[in-house]
Amino acid sequence: MANRLEEFKSYRLRMNDRIAKIDHLGIKRFFNLDTRAYENGALDAKTKELLGLVASTVLRCNDCIDYHIVQCVDAGWKDEEIYDALNVGLIVGGSIVVPHLRHAVESLDLARAEKNGGSVRQPD
Amino acid sequence: MANRLEEFKSYRLRMNDRIAKIDHLGIKRFFNLDTRAYENGALDAKTKELLGLVASTVLRCNDCIDYHIVQCVDAGWKDEEIYDALNVGLIVGGSIVVPHLRHAVESLDLARAEKNGGSVRQPD
Amino acid sequence: MANRLEEFKSYRLRMNDRIAKIDHLGIKRFFNLDTRAYENGALDAKTKELLGLVASTVLRCNDCIDYHIVQCVDAGWKDEEIYDALNVGLIVGGSIVVPHLRHAVESLDLARAEKNGGSVRQPD
Amino acid sequence: MANRLEEFKSYRLRMNDRIAKIDHLGIKRFFNLDTRAYENGALDAKTKELLGLVASTVLRCNDCIDYHIVQCVDAGWKDEEIYDALNVGLIVGGSIVVPHLRHAVESLDLARAEKNGGSVRQPD
Amino acid sequence: MANRLEEFKSYRLRMNDRIAKIDHLGIKRFFNLDTRAYENGALDAKTKELLGLVASTVLRCNDCIDYHIVQCVDAGWKDEEIYDALNVGLIVGGSIVVPHLRHAVESLDLARAEKNGGSVRQPD
Amino acid sequence: MANRLEEFKSYRLRMNDRIAKIDHLGIKRFFNLDTRAYENGALDAKTKELLGLVASTVLRCNDCIDYHIVQCVDAGWKDEEIYDALNVGLIVGGSIVVPHLRHAVESLDLARAEKNGGSVRQPD
């Protein structure tokens, strides 16, 4: 049985496929622009993922947090660095961010477990 | 005559002094915590200023943008890197961020002019 | 078994009934005012539902999106028109809106399926 | 010459008069409902003004903060109590609230000065 | 089987324990500051919980609403008073708050049921 | 001497020119996408301007409101229709929107005065 991070990833893919079938140039172009915003440029892709994580944290979007947590792990950010970035998000955004900090830390644990292969730790 | 960035900096200092006189431990501690969030830690201070700038951009706070633009310039970020960070903020936050992008770019120009000494370029 | 759109509609009705039992004139009047805001006036009801959908999209409220998606379908808006309205919401609100765009498109599919009678298509 | 709090109050009155001339029942009723929300009810009016101040602070609306600061002063809240309420807003809303805390404290000083008659202290 | 309020409380405790294991002074201090913000000060703890509830309502955070609803019940606020506070949140925040009002009222019913011991009323 | 709507329009043009000089493909493309979002499509341009106005109102962005007010006037929307759209924004967004409603109504008056040529009515 999939954990919530895997469920999110599969829902995201399924709905992105569905949206890709919509015949609307503006929507298609925005999705393309969104992808490109995190590619290497004046800043490297790794730094940009951290920017995306903090932006998602202060705007309090769990799905966006999940996406960028996975990307940050893939990009090679260490836990301590991710916590430090989340702390910036917490101080900027205040205690209203706390439920999303809980979510982010749980997602990070799930992403690490998946990365480490073997048993994906389920929340108890 | 001071430009708007200098006016902001002087207003900020004056009101921070006023707030420092308030006998409230919670407020004092929060200000301290806020300062520390941008100091070297698992992430370096330079990276954190960029995180602060993007967080301020997506939350659409001009005063916060001004503060972090000045800090980013002082930390050694180049214009191209700051534009690339602002682009992440723009894509995450959408066109509602555009007025704050205008503000950020103008503040960056003012901060550079001040840095370069000599005449602080006024917006025409 | 009900899909998530039907579950939302039934939860909404149940809790609106519960709230209607609260003896508070301000709350009652606000609910009344909210209903009236979408009735025919200088603008027709159909246009107002689209305004409500875009407002709900940029404010990133899934329940509100679900409500207005159903209303937009009932009011006779076509899929292409709803996509075009959602695109305005996407551009104004940025990529932080994307998870809500996914939700909106899924809700639209569920609402159309229900409208078309027969089998309500479950998300796979 | 009027200070910024007096300017806000006069602008607010002028535009409320302008809006009152709009022939739209929904707008009229909302303004009425808004006024009533702060009148004595299960909670007394004094408590509700503090709720309004904290809501305005976390939503980062300077005009709303100014309005409720004046109301809180009129309702008899002491400076220490208002600071304690603003601290709740600061912790809930984070450092993005700081510019609005500066604004609120300055407005409180202006409101007190006006209340104490004599010379209204201008920000230096 | 636990209702959603009990599930939230147990998730909150579990993740707060997890976060407490993170070796980051800033995060620890923020959590401490957050707790202290609601303790007796110039304002009493009871009043501050109501401020926290209204702030959570207008910022539309269901987890934060749940936490403060439980705290408000424990602090001795009556239903009528809580409804009156929620009405302030509703008027300030508008219809986008309505789904969170539904959530808050349901949470209040669950918290009362738990308080009254015996059978915890499940939403039908 | 220019009124505040004219000042905004000139500032917007000047800063858009400045931003156009930034060598960043993502920013350029976003501006292009933003322009296209309001062009005739499945929905006509006139309807989309109203969607943009309501989105700007609930997101509480005065510059965005000013831009779309001018566009709505140019697109042929009547005052009564614009008020009806603003009412939707007011009900969705609540009293925190009121300062932006004041701004919008004042901007509408300024835009009409300019449209009617002759003397641009200054706020008294």
Side-chain angles (χ1 to χ4, degrees), chain D residues 36 56 118:
Chain D
R36 298 214 170 184
S56 303

Side-chain angles (χ1 to χ4, degrees), chain D residues 8 11-16 18-19 22-27 30-31 34 38 55-56 58-61 63-64 68, chain F residues 4 60 79-80 83-87 90-91 94-103 105-106 108-109 121 123-124:
Chain D
F8 161 69
Y11 176 80
R12 182 180 170 274
L13 282 180
R14 180 163 60 79
M15 289 310 303
N16 280 6
R18 172 68 187 82
I19 290 170
I22 296 176
D23 184 31
H24 193 292
L25 202 55
I27 294 175
F30 184 83
F31 271 71
D34 184 24
Y38 298 97
S56 303
V58 298
L59 289 174
R60 306 189 280 130
C61 172
D63 282 3
C64 312
H68 287 293
Chain F
R4 72 155 173 73
R60 305 190 280 128
D79 283 0
E80 285 64 33
Y83 298 147
D84 213 15
L86 290 173
N87 180 56
L90 179 65
I91 298 302
S95 70
I96 210 78
V97 162
V98 167
H100 305 275
L101 178 67
R102 287 185 196 115
H103 187 91
V105 170
E106 189 183 52
L108 181 57
D109 287 347
R121 191 176 68 86
D124 316 290

Side-chain angles (χ1 to χ4, degrees), chain A residues 63-124:
Chain A
D63 283 3
C64 312
I65 287 171
D66 283 354
Y67 176 77
H68 287 293
I69 281 281
V70 170
Q71 295 292 105
C72 282
V73 166
D74 286 349
W77 288 109
K78 293 179 213 150
D79 283 1
E80 285 64 32
E81 294 164 328
I82 293 175
Y83 297 148
D84 212 16
L86 290 172
N87 180 57
V88 171
L90 179 64
I91 298 302
V92 172
S95 70
I96 210 80
V97 162
V98 167
H100 305 275
L101 178 67
R102 288 185 195 115
H103 187 91
V105 170
E106 191 183 51
S107 295
L108 180 57
D109 287 348
L110 290 167
R112 290 287 178 212
E114 198 178 313
K115 200 87 184 169
N116 297 338
S119 57
V120 175
R121 193 177 67 85
Q122 284 283 346
D124 315 290

Side-chain angles (χ1 to χ4, degrees), chain B residues 3 5-6 9 70 109-121:
Chain B
N3 64 39
L5 193 61
E6 286 166 345
K9 288 197 277 188
V70 170
D109 286 347
L110 291 167
R112 289 288 178 213
E114 197 178 315
K115 202 84 183 170
N116 295 339
S119 55
V120 176
R121 191 176 68 84

Side-chain angles (χ1 to χ4, degrees), chain C residues 8 14 19 27 37 42 44 46 63 66 88-89:
Chain C
F8 160 70
R14 181 164 58 78
I19 290 170
I27 294 175
D44 56 48
K46 186 180 174 183
D63 282 4
D66 283 354
V88 172

